[in-house]
């Protein structure tokens, strides 16, 4: 296995790069009030699994929705394109390599989950995204928040832009958004997210114990597991907000 394959193993077992169950995703799609003919954009989409599920849900003889995923990760975008092709959604969903901050095309429904850092933080993301959602549209905004007072190490990991949940909602209102729906990731979703993040490389390590890189991979896995359990498990939360303005 070369370095590229080892890098791909990092996300190989992840459904999407956020703590979210399938059932929770279905609830969020319900709250987005989807219907055929809508334009849907996923800003910071990675491999676009949520966008593809939106497109698959609203598939219809009239054409369903038109989706576009925006990210700078070429490997993730290639994975998204292949997944769209396999599901027969290639004509409905496009993946574009572009900077989220520079993106200016509006859409009826905009998804931005776990990408506020690309804009410089929560407030800046909410301000920028308001320009992408026309009146009558909706935004699914997913962002981290502190569930408890963070340690210095947690702040070092996630930055001082992270807010408590009440502060996150104040930031939403400050930018003129109204909350249509709010729900948060539960502990099982977090544990599954963190476990699947490590799982691809865990499997590689178990299959390649004598590889010269095995020690480095083992140290990375153990360090990440300790960091999660000791530093931010139960401290960092993640909120999913369906917003309109």
């Amino acid at each position: 296995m070369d370095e590229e394959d080892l890098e791909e193993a990092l996300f190989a077992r992840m459904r999407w790069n956020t703590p979210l169950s399938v059932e929770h995703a279905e609830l969020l799609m319900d709250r987005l009030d989807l219907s055929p003919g809508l334009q849907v954009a996923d800003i910071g989409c990675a491999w676009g699994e949520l966008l593809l599920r939106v497109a698959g849900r609203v598939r219809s003889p009239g054409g369903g929705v038109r989706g576009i995923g925006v990210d700078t990760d070429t490997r993730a975008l290639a994975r998204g394109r292949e997944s769209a092709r396999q599901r027969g959604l290639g004509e409905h969903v496009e993946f574009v390599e572009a900077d989220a901050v520079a993106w200016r095309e509006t859409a009826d429904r905009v998804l931005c989950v776990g990408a506020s850092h690309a804009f410089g933080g929560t407030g800046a993301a909410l301000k920028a995204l308001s320009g992408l959602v026309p009146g009558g549209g909706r935004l699914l905004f997913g962002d981290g928040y502190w569930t408890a007072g963070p340690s210095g190490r947690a702040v070092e990991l996630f930055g001082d832009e992270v807010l408590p949940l009440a502060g996150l909602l104040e930031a939403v209102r400050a930018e003129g958004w109204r909350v249509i729906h709010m729900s948060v990731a539960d502990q099982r979703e977090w544990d599954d997210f963190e476990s699947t993040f490590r799982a691809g490389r865990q499997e590689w390590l178990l299959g390649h114990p004598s590889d010269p890189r095995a020690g480095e991979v083992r140290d990375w896995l153990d360090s990440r597991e300790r960091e999660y359990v000791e530093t931010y498990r139960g401290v960092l939360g993640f909120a999913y907000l369906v917003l309109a303005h």
Side-chain angles (χ1 to χ4, degrees):
M1 179 176 283
D2 58 26
E3 291 300 328
E4 184 174 342
D5 289 337
L6 184 56
E7 186 64 24
E8 286 180 356
L10 183 62
F11 300 105
R13 295 302 179 187
M14 301 184 78
R15 181 181 297 110
W16 33 52
N17 195 11
T18 189
L20 182 67
S21 66
V22 171
E23 294 78 12
H24 196 167
E26 292 288 337
L27 171 65
L28 297 175
M29 287 189 281
D30 284 344
R31 299 300 181 261
L32 280 169
D33 193 22
L34 300 166
S35 60
L38 294 177
Q39 297 285 327
V40 182
D42 190 345
I43 309 300
C45 66
W47 53 90
E49 178 62 26
L50 186 56
L51 177 63
L52 292 170
R53 293 197 181 215
V54 166
R57 172 185 265 227
V58 196
R59 195 191 314 230
S60 74
V65 303
R66 181 67 183 172
I68 186 163
V70 179
D71 207 292
T72 57
D73 188 331
T74 55
R75 184 181 287 111
L77 291 169
R79 175 177 170 180
R81 292 186 190 105
E82 176 60 19
S83 186
R85 186 193 65 78
Q86 291 178 0
R87 300 184 201 191
L89 293 169
E91 294 183 0
H92 300 281
V93 179
E94 177 185 5
F95 289 91
V96 176
E97 185 176 352
D99 185 351
V101 177
W103 191 255
R104 295 291 182 269
E105 293 186 21
T106 61
D108 304 299
R109 301 292 184 269
V110 173
L111 319 176
C112 185
V113 177
S116 65
H117 60 88
F119 296 89
T122 299
L126 289 164
K127 181 185 293 291
L129 293 165
S130 66
L132 304 184
V133 183
R138 292 190 179 183
L139 166 68
L140 171 59
F141 185 66
D143 206 21
Y145 69 93
W146 298 127
T147 65
S151 65
R153 176 57 179 155
V155 173
E156 181 183 340
L157 282 172
F158 298 102
D160 55 12
E161 292 289 334
V162 180
L163 302 166
L165 184 57
L168 173 57
L169 294 174
E170 289 296 337
V172 165
R173 288 188 283 268
E175 295 302 333
W177 294 100
R178 303 303 301 170
V179 179
I180 304 298
H181 168 84
M182 179 190 78
S183 52
V184 302
D186 64 25
Q187 195 60 65
R188 179 175 292 181
E189 287 175 299
W190 265 110
D191 289 344
D192 184 56
F193 167 61
E194 291 287 338
S195 295
T196 54
F197 179 68
R198 297 188 303 273
R201 286 190 173 180
Q202 293 280 22
E203 291 171 354
W204 178 89
L205 180 63
L206 291 169
H208 301 80
S210 301
D211 189 284
R213 297 162 295 171
E216 181 180 351
V217 172
R218 183 181 298 105
D219 289 345
W220 182 90
L221 287 165
D222 293 348
S223 176
R224 179 67 194 236
E225 185 177 81
R226 291 190 192 100
E227 205 163 57
Y228 173 53
V229 173
E230 298 173 7
T231 303
Y232 62 94
R233 186 179 188 272
V235 176
L236 182 69
F238 202 87
Y240 297 95
L241 308 174
V242 177
L243 308 175
H245 63 165

